Amino acid sequence: MKITAISIFPEYFSPLRLSLIGKAIESSVVDFKAIDLREFTHDNHKTVDDTPYGGGAGMVMKPEPWGEAIDSALNRHDGIVDLILLTPAGKTFDQELAAKLSSRENLLFACGRYEGIDARVSDFYRGHQRVRLHEISIGNYVLNGGEVAALVMIEAITRLIPGVIGNPDSLLEESHNEIGEVEYPVYTKPAEWRGLEVPEVLKSGNHGEIANWRRREAQRRSKTLRESE
Ligand code: 6GU
């Protein structure tokens, strides 16, 4: 999978070199590049934003640098590219979209800042031959920019690529799997810690009863965790 991220803070993406995703990048399962939007400006101040037409608070990101940066990024990729515009006004990211995007060859993340990117940029690329456009938010709260949202998405997506996670079984059992149920509680040694015991059934060796207990606990958690806030 080839991934490009465009941002005025390309250093935001350095943590991707760590851990399992870092290994995937090293072993070239994932080819990642962060591009600095300011490289596509042509004035001395490297201006990427301006005041909004119609007035109002804040600044809007100018379309020209975005157009040039996205065109340049498209040149790094072959064929169809999934262009992901990070915006709090987008469709909420979930495990289903992560799974869909994990099977795609080319992902391009456009990380806006300020009050957003001039709306003509999304209009233009929605109609582009090589682009499938997604306007995505990661949840109902406001961040200062799309970078952290892109990191969240890249982690959720790349860990689903075969070979990125060591044990694929751990993908099946985990929270937000196809059944939409969260995981059962897990325990390891010691059998007693600060007066708290590991449930007896887990030490029984009875695999049928263990499976039943885990199913019940997962159901209970799915209900109570989600009702508790
Ligand atoms: Cl993608 N961007 C910003 N700025 N805020 C967000 C978001 C994205 N998703 C949730 N909040």
Side-chain angles (χ1 to χ4, degrees):
M1 175 186 282
K2 192 178 270 194
I3 305 175
T4 307
I6 307 169
S7 162
I8 57 168
F9 297 124
E11 317 81 51
Y12 244 106
F13 296 91
S14 27
L16 285 179
R17 308 279 159 199
L18 304 169
S19 114
L20 284 172
I21 294 141
K23 294 224 175 66
I25 293 171
E26 258 168 54
S27 68
S28 25
V29 175
V30 175
D31 169 350
F32 178 81
K33 188 176 185 208
I35 290 180
D36 187 349
L37 180 70
R38 292 197 199 274
E39 286 180 16
F40 300 90
T41 58
H42 302 287
D43 62 313
N44 286 336
H45 290 104
K46 300 184 190 276
T47 310
V48 293
D49 61 340
D50 205 337
T51 54
Y53 272 114
M59 298 291 268
V60 175
M61 295 193 100
K62 296 167 64 56
E64 307 100 308
W66 274 109
E68 288 190 34
I70 293 170
D71 289 347
S72 165
L74 288 175
N75 280 331
R76 201 178 97 75
H77 294 261
D78 305 306
I80 303 293
V81 174
D82 285 272
L83 170 58
I84 297 139
L85 290 183
L86 284 315
T87 162
K91 175 174 179 264
T92 307
F93 183 57
D94 61 11
Q95 191 66 26
E96 190 186 349
L97 184 55
K100 183 164 92 176
L101 293 176
S102 73
S103 68
R104 300 282 164 84
E105 285 301 314
N106 300 293
L107 304 184
L108 172 51
F109 290 88
C111 306
R113 290 248 145 193
Y114 314 110
E115 301 305 308
I117 304 172
D118 186 302
R120 290 169 292 182
V121 174
S122 60
D123 289 342
F124 180 86
Y125 288 102
R126 209 188 318 279
H128 191 290
Q129 277 252 357
R130 291 184 52 211
V131 169
R132 272 193 294 247
L133 185 75
H134 311 264
E135 293 184 271
I136 303 295
S137 154
I138 60 162
N140 294 331
Y141 38 80
V142 178
L143 304 169
N144 285 332
E147 287 79 5
V148 170
L151 282 173
V152 166
M153 288 187 66
I154 291 167
E155 178 153 330
I157 292 164
T158 54
R159 64 190 294 286
L160 299 178
I161 300 171
V164 172
I165 285 258
N167 176 8
D169 286 348
S170 58
L171 294 177
L172 293 174
E173 291 195 2
E174 70 196 14
S175 296
H176 305 292
N177 58 17
E178 288 85 352
I179 329 168
E181 208 166 70
V182 298
E183 272 168 288
Y184 48 78
V186 294
Y187 301 87
T188 186
K189 269 80 71 188
E192 192 224 293
W193 176 74
R194 297 190 178 180
L196 302 169
E197 303 269 1
V198 171
E200 218 43 61
V201 58
L202 298 180
K203 297 182 282 182
S204 70
N206 185 330
H207 298 295
E209 279 199 34
I210 291 171
N212 284 333
W213 181 87
R214 284 177 168 169
R215 261 193 300 276
R216 279 196 311 273
E217 285 298 310
Q219 279 171 11
R220 210 163 58 80
R221 272 188 158 196
S222 305
K223 277 235 280 297
T224 54
L225 283 180
R226 282 167 188 169
E227 284 165 2
S228 68
E229 275 163 49

